[in-house]
Amino acid sequence: MRRLLFTNGTVFDGTGAPPAPADVVVEGDRIVAVGIGLDGDDAVDCTGRTILPGLIDSHVHLMIDGLDPLGWLHDPFSLQFYRAATSMRKTLDVGITTVRDAGGADLGVREAQRRGLVKGPRVQIAISMLSQTGGHGDPWAASGCHVPIFVPHPGRPAGVVDGTDEARRKVRELVRAGADVIKIATSGGVVSARDDPRHGHFRDAEVAVIVEEATSAGIPVMAHAAATDGIKTAVRAGVRSIEHGIFLDDEAVELMVENKAWLVPTLIAPHGVVRAAEAGAAISEHVLEKAHLVIRAHRESVRRAIEAGVRIAFGTDTGVTPHGRNLDELALLVECGLTPAQALRAATREAAQLLGTTDLGTVEPGKIADLVLVDGDLSEVDTLAERVRAVYQGGVEV
């Protein structure tokens, strides 16, 4: 098997060690050596560049590309799958080689990438978000119409459930449909029409049975949780990650630390709502008000969580914002207290640990050779996306 040598570069390995000059050798789809003075059959000159692990976005929506409510109403049903293929390519182009789709993508999307039918990041799927009636995932509108963002189909069950029996059955349906993770909404949200992100949703028993069923299937639970009460309910029940975490108080932060729960901040998401409205998207006044409401509280909560030592994994809610702009999140994480190196570790090793992908996330022997070559200084995270020069997935340049 031929050895591919990445030489003359600096390696940011994602383990916590500072960047340092080193060579990386790849055989097949695996890293086999990292060090100085290595050799190979073919060489990639990395002079002036840093070699990073493939980046991981823990919260995306591949089936949409920016907020466009009217477009979703009028687009042909199958167009979303073609859009996903384009979104996957945009994601790969900025160095993100793995994503967790937090709702929308079904088993076919995951399989299309795995089988090489489309180029894109490796995909974990939640398929549909579980929501109570009147919750973040309920598509009912005041007109009486039902206007879902993700129309149910045979591979994407509807997600509105009430009570423990309905919740248990729906988790089993999602597992049957191929879900890698179960997503629930334990609070209201921003882009949904008839709920409030400050209100907790689902009762303790409902969340407990969801976690029980997911655990029995060997998969974790992620929670859309903006409201303080919704965050606490999720963490106490054993949910693995809190998505957004907009209204954290000290008790919620302490619970997250004690239970080793992850926070996936998605700081760019409410900004995306505001920008979409400014660009002319048909965003309701109520939704826009909620976006403005949460932005300041969101940053303060993430800052509090970072100071307390809550585990942070990189995630963006991209789809709410346009694909290919994912790395804008890095600068916001730095503003909230992470160093640039910590923000990059949140997008590599930490995100890999959250997703349970132990063979990704670092540049070490034995790991899958997902690698990104970047020009210039890694500390300038606000310009990182435009300095990506090559992306390798499993040792193959993509």
Side-chain angles (χ1 to χ4, degrees):
M1 189 175 294
R2 297 186 67 81
R3 292 162 57 92
L4 179 61
L5 171 68
F6 295 83
T7 187
N8 300 323
T10 298
V11 173
F12 175 92
D13 64 13
T15 67
D23 299 332
V24 178
V25 178
V26 173
E27 287 186 9
D29 67 348
R30 298 278 170 170
I31 299 166
V32 296
V34 181
I36 299 294
L38 304 179
D39 61 9
D41 302 299
D42 303 294
V44 177
D45 185 4
C46 300
T47 300
R49 292 178 176 172
T50 299
I51 305 165
L52 297 164
L55 303 175
I56 299 170
D57 192 331
S58 304
H59 191 129
V60 302
H61 297 282
L62 294 171
M63 309 300 281
I64 56 175
D65 192 14
L67 292 180
D68 183 17
L70 288 180
W72 300 338
L73 282 174
H74 297 290
D75 286 343
F77 174 79
S78 59
L79 186 63
Q80 61 188 299
F81 296 96
Y82 296 94
R83 180 181 291 119
T86 301
S87 299
M88 292 166 80
R89 186 57 200 239
K90 291 178 182 178
T91 304
L92 201 59
D93 284 346
V94 294
I96 295 171
T97 58
T98 301
V99 298
R100 183 176 62 170
D101 188 283
D106 65 2
L107 185 58
V109 174
R110 190 182 77 190
E111 284 297 291
Q113 188 279 334
R114 188 185 69 82
R115 299 184 191 189
L117 298 177
V118 298
K119 287 188 176 181
R122 308 171 194 278
V123 185
Q124 290 191 4
I125 53 173
I127 303 178
S128 302
M129 178 177 67
L130 302 189
S131 165
Q132 70 176 44
T133 296
H136 185 48
D138 186 346
W140 185 89
S143 64
C145 296
H146 282 70
V147 191
I149 296 175
F150 302 116
V151 177
H153 65 77
R156 189 167 66 200
V160 176
V161 295
D162 294 291
T164 57
D165 288 344
E166 287 186 13
R168 188 185 301 276
R169 179 178 178 83
K170 191 61 66 171
V171 171
R172 292 174 179 176
E173 287 183 10
L174 289 168
V175 171
R176 180 180 65 184
D180 299 298
V181 59
I182 299 299
K183 184 185 179 186
I184 63 175
T186 60
S187 81
V190 172
V191 299
S192 42
R194 302 298 303 168
D195 55 290
D196 190 317
R198 295 167 294 187
H199 295 168
H201 288 173
F202 281 135
R203 303 288 70 81
D204 291 358
E206 293 168 308
V207 179
V209 79
I210 289 167
V211 173
E212 178 187 23
E213 282 299 313
T215 301
S216 72
I219 61 176
V221 178
M222 59 191 293
H224 162 99
T228 309
D229 289 344
I231 294 166
K232 294 174 185 178
T233 295
V235 174
R236 288 187 181 116
V239 164
R240 184 167 173 80
S241 65
I242 297 299
E243 314 296 308
H244 317 306
I246 293 170
F247 296 106
L248 286 166
D249 64 9
D250 290 340
E251 182 186 9
V253 168
E254 289 173 8
L255 281 170
M256 292 188 71
V257 173
E258 290 171 9
N259 289 273
K260 298 182 179 179
W262 297 83
L263 175 62
V264 181
T266 71
L267 288 158
I268 63 173
H271 294 277
V273 176
V274 174
R275 292 186 188 121
E278 291 172 346
I283 308 298
S284 74
E285 183 177 337
H286 177 58
V287 168
L288 190 57
E289 287 175 358
K290 289 195 288 183
H292 285 294
L293 165 72
V294 303
I295 286 174
R296 181 174 178 180
H298 199 180
R299 291 197 184 196
E300 291 174 352
S301 288
V302 174
R303 188 176 294 113
R304 180 183 290 115
I306 289 170
E307 290 174 353
V310 172
R311 298 194 292 182
I312 306 294
F314 179 85
T316 63
D317 216 359
T318 296
V320 172
T321 54
H323 290 277
R325 299 297 304 272
N326 312 53
L327 301 192
D328 291 353
E329 181 82 8
L330 292 169
L332 295 178
L333 289 172
V334 171
E335 290 178 11
C336 288
L338 292 184
T339 66
Q342 288 171 332
L344 287 169
R345 284 201 298 277
T348 51
R349 181 188 64 181
E350 304 301 319
Q353 290 180 357
L354 168 59
L355 271 57
T357 52
T358 56
D359 52 1
L360 295 171
T362 59
V363 181
E364 296 179 286
K367 297 295 182 78
I368 292 176
D370 284 11
L371 303 169
V372 183
L373 307 185
V374 178
D375 282 343
D377 187 353
L378 287 183
S379 66
E380 298 173 359
V381 293
D382 56 326
T383 61
L384 188 68
E386 63 197 57
R387 293 185 283 113
V388 171
R389 293 295 172 262
V391 180
Y392 290 78
Q393 201 172 37
V396 177
E397 187 172 7
V398 291

